[in-house]
Amino acid sequence: MNTLNINKQADIIGNYQVTVCGGGPSGFIAAIAAARCGASVALIERYGYLGGMATAGMVAPISEFMHEGELISSGIPLEFVKRIDGGKMCSPRGNFVFHPEEYKIAAQRMVFEAGVDLYLHAYVTDCVMDDGKITHIVFESKSGTQAIATDYVIDATGDGDIAYKAGVPMQNYNTPLQPATMYFALNKVDTSGFKGYYPGQKHSSIPEIREMLSKLCPDAPQMGGPWCFAGMGEGTAIINMSRTALDWLDEKAATKAECKLREDIKTIVHLLKTHIPAFKNAELLMSAPQVGIRETRHIKGTHILTGDEYVNAVHFEDSVARCSHPIDIHSTNDNTQTVTPLKQAAYLPYRSIIADGYNNLLVPSRCFSADREAFASARVQVGVMGLGQAAGVAAAQCAEKHLSVHNADIKKLRKVLADWGMKI
Ligand SMILES: Cc1cc2nc3c(=O)[nH]c(=O)nc-3n(C[C@H](O)[C@H](O)[C@H](O)COP(=O)(O)OP(=O)(O)OC[C@H]3O[C@@H](n4cnc5c(N)ncnc54)[C@H](O)[C@@H]3O)c2cc1C
């Protein structure tokens, strides 16, 4: 391939103790946590709103705040969901359903209240390193190429964009990536018989629908679930059903998948209307602004959290977050899914969000350091929000004393998290 060398100058427009790249569930929670602990914080997000997959991907349940009815995660994530107008917590697993627009509003309100400087429409493209430390974050916007000088970086891009640029080693699972899904919303749905995430009803997918459609229409696109969510109100359903293999880091493949999945939604909606009585009068309200990405890079952190540690709920001295979502692996090649429920909520260690040799970088988003099984559970929002919260507190505490993230005072970190109600 031909290449082109491009030399660019960036205006340095700010100087912060903590810079958070990516405003998804892990990122905006991290920014709030760091700011509440007294750090000056920048939060940089490529879209015009916060929430990441929860809003851009319309992934409208947050899983799961409880294990068998007992609250296992609280702190800023729980405070956040209480701020989402119209959202509902479903027992006994504590899945929280919401309207994506309300999520955006609640997130930006809390970010501003904490005193975070928010940079929207800003695509982080690079970082500058000096002696094991990232000194600057570089991003592109309509204003051109700009940079922020920073003491600590939280990579919450989901894809580990900064970690990758900084040269953090990545894991290779040697298994296919979990598939991508494009959510869509319908109205005029008869939801009275649903077992989905509707208040007072059991948490479950509706596999009968998928099985019936697959039998009736062997040419139907690949499908999962379907899971139907009530967040947009009575008679509406936000639906997780489409599915395709995708390497999101390959631009050509990403373009193809976005277009294919929108066509698939058209087909799926037609099938639902034709064959499933509850959807007879349904109308397509919207597809998600972007395809939902379950999995891309995984950093090789100081500790790689294993599936064994996870299912056995091994407690770590540096445990900073909990997660009780099942080990949930969606097949890339067909309509199946492997779900292994947890007997106890798992513990997530701080060492899984830092990497050897990187002194001011924390990576709490879904690309944190875990093996395939542990990832397949901890990737959900309560898991990464918990890690984001811990990353924010740790970054602020390290900033106060100019410490490497490897020398963070774990007792002090855990104390703040416990004081905030985390059962770690
Ligand atoms: C189909 C699907 C179904 C799911 N189901 C559930 C479920 O039922 N329950 C649940 O809790 N979770 C579920 N999840 C998982 C959950 O949504 C994600 O794992 C979670 O959103 C990850 O949060 P994050 O902050 O790590 O990353 P993301 O949500 O991906 O957020 C990353 C943020 O960074 C921004 N960003 C990325 N790159 C850059 C860049 N270079 N510069 C600037 N900004 C950037 C993005 O725009 C985004 O806002 C599902 C995910 C998918 C895709």
Side-chain angles (χ1 to χ4, degrees):
M1 193 190 291
N2 293 334
T3 56
L4 180 68
N5 278 334
I6 301 172
N7 286 322
K8 280 191 173 182
Q9 273 200 339
D11 296 331
I12 301 173
I13 58 162
N15 188 341
Y16 293 87
Q17 286 174 303
V18 179
T19 299
V20 183
C21 303
S26 64
F28 78 83
I29 296 283
I32 295 166
R36 284 190 184 180
C37 289
S40 59
V41 182
L43 173 57
I44 310 176
E45 164 58 44
R46 70 178 157 184
Y47 291 146
Y49 47 84
L50 298 171
M53 281 300 122
T55 52
M58 284 170 63
V59 176
I62 301 176
S63 312
E64 12 196 287
F65 279 94
M66 297 176 195
H67 185 76
E68 293 175 355
E70 188 202 344
L71 200 62
I72 52 110
S73 195
S74 47
I76 298 172
L78 188 64
E79 187 187 329
F80 166 63
V81 299
K82 288 182 180 160
R83 296 280 299 269
I84 301 179
D85 282 347
K88 296 221 164 40
M89 188 75 86
C90 307
S91 267
R93 294 168 63 172
N95 288 296
F96 187 86
V97 293
F98 58 87
H99 193 308
E101 295 305 319
E102 299 293 352
Y103 190 114
K104 291 176 189 171
I105 299 276
Q108 74 184 36
R109 282 183 181 165
M110 285 180 69
V111 160
F112 289 135
E113 284 164 14
V116 173
D117 282 353
L118 180 60
Y119 296 82
L120 295 178
H121 302 295
Y123 201 113
V124 175
T125 52
D126 214 344
C127 63
V128 178
M129 294 281 296
D130 184 22
D131 197 21
K133 277 191 167 181
I134 297 172
T135 58
H136 295 82
I137 291 295
V138 181
F139 58 94
E140 300 282 340
S141 73
K142 293 278 186 191
S143 303
T145 308
Q146 295 178 312
I148 277 177
T150 190
D151 298 333
Y152 294 83
V153 175
I154 297 178
D155 181 345
T157 60
D159 303 317
D161 286 1
I162 296 304
Y164 175 73
K165 285 278 178 191
V168 174
M170 298 291 158
Q171 300 179 61
N172 182 358
Y173 287 177
N174 287 321
T175 50
L177 295 168
Q178 290 209 34
T181 289
M182 186 171 283
Y183 275 66
F184 57 95
L186 301 178
N187 66 3
K188 300 191 183 166
V189 179
D190 175 7
T191 58
S192 54
F194 280 18
K195 289 185 291 177
Y197 289 81
Y198 284 76
Q201 291 167 336
K202 202 169 153 257
H203 158 215
S204 156
S205 64
I206 318 173
E208 310 85 86
I209 292 182
R210 187 187 72 234
E211 282 155 20
M212 187 195 288
L213 294 183
S214 307
K215 263 195 211 133
L216 286 170
C217 323
D219 294 338
Q222 203 181 329
M223 294 181 286
W227 294 266
C228 299
F229 306 103
M232 288 175 101
E234 198 64 29
T236 67
I238 299 177
I239 300 181
N240 169 351
M241 192 168 178
S242 73
R243 180 187 274 200
T244 192
L246 169 61
D247 176 0
W248 175 243
L249 303 177
D250 174 343
E251 195 281 325
K252 263 198 172 152
T255 300
K256 204 171 142 197
E258 286 273 358
C259 297
K260 173 189 162 19
L261 285 172
R262 283 210 170 80
E263 288 290 349
D264 286 355
I265 286 170
K266 193 85 180 128
T267 309
I268 289 171
V269 173
H270 175 71
L271 293 177
L272 287 170
K273 281 172 71 76
T274 311
H275 299 290
I276 312 292
F279 293 95
K280 194 172 72 176
N281 301 316
E283 289 171 354
L284 181 61
L285 280 175
M286 64 185 293
S287 60
Q290 80 143 76
V291 56
I293 302 301
R294 289 189 173 84
E295 183 173 17
T296 53
R297 299 186 184 103
H298 301 277
I299 66 158
K300 218 181 251 175
T302 298
H303 180 78
I304 299 177
L305 182 62
T306 68
D308 265 1
E309 290 167 335
Y310 207 86
V311 294
N312 292 312
V314 170
H315 184 265
F316 305 95
E317 279 187 8
D318 63 342
S319 160
V320 287
R322 303 286 302 273
C323 188
S324 68
H325 189 71
I327 309 255
D328 178 8
I329 301 179
H330 299 253
S331 167
T332 313
N333 307 315
D334 57 34
N335 293 352
T336 61
Q337 178 193 13
T338 317
V339 179
T340 314
L342 300 180
K343 291 199 182 91
Q344 293 176 58
Y347 294 91
L348 315 183
Y350 173 73
R351 283 161 302 142
S352 292
I353 60 171
I354 56 175
D356 290 350
Y358 291 83
N359 292 318
N360 68 343
L361 174 66
L362 300 115
V363 188
S365 65
R366 65 175 155 75
C367 53
F368 84 104
S369 180
D371 73 7
R372 182 174 195 248
E373 281 71 33
F375 160 77
S377 164
R379 67 187 174 88
V380 296
Q381 293 190 56
V382 165
V384 299
M385 282 175 163
L387 290 176
Q389 175 173 250
V393 176
Q397 288 183 346
C398 288
E400 215 181 304
K401 300 220 159 133
H402 307 287
L403 296 175
S404 159
V405 293
H406 292 275
N407 297 329
D409 183 338
I410 298 298
K411 271 197 187 147
K412 204 170 143 200
L413 166 62
R414 281 172 40 85
K415 175 155 186 348
V416 169
L417 298 174
D419 287 350
W420 288 357
M422 294 296 291
K423 302 234 168 69
I424 47 172

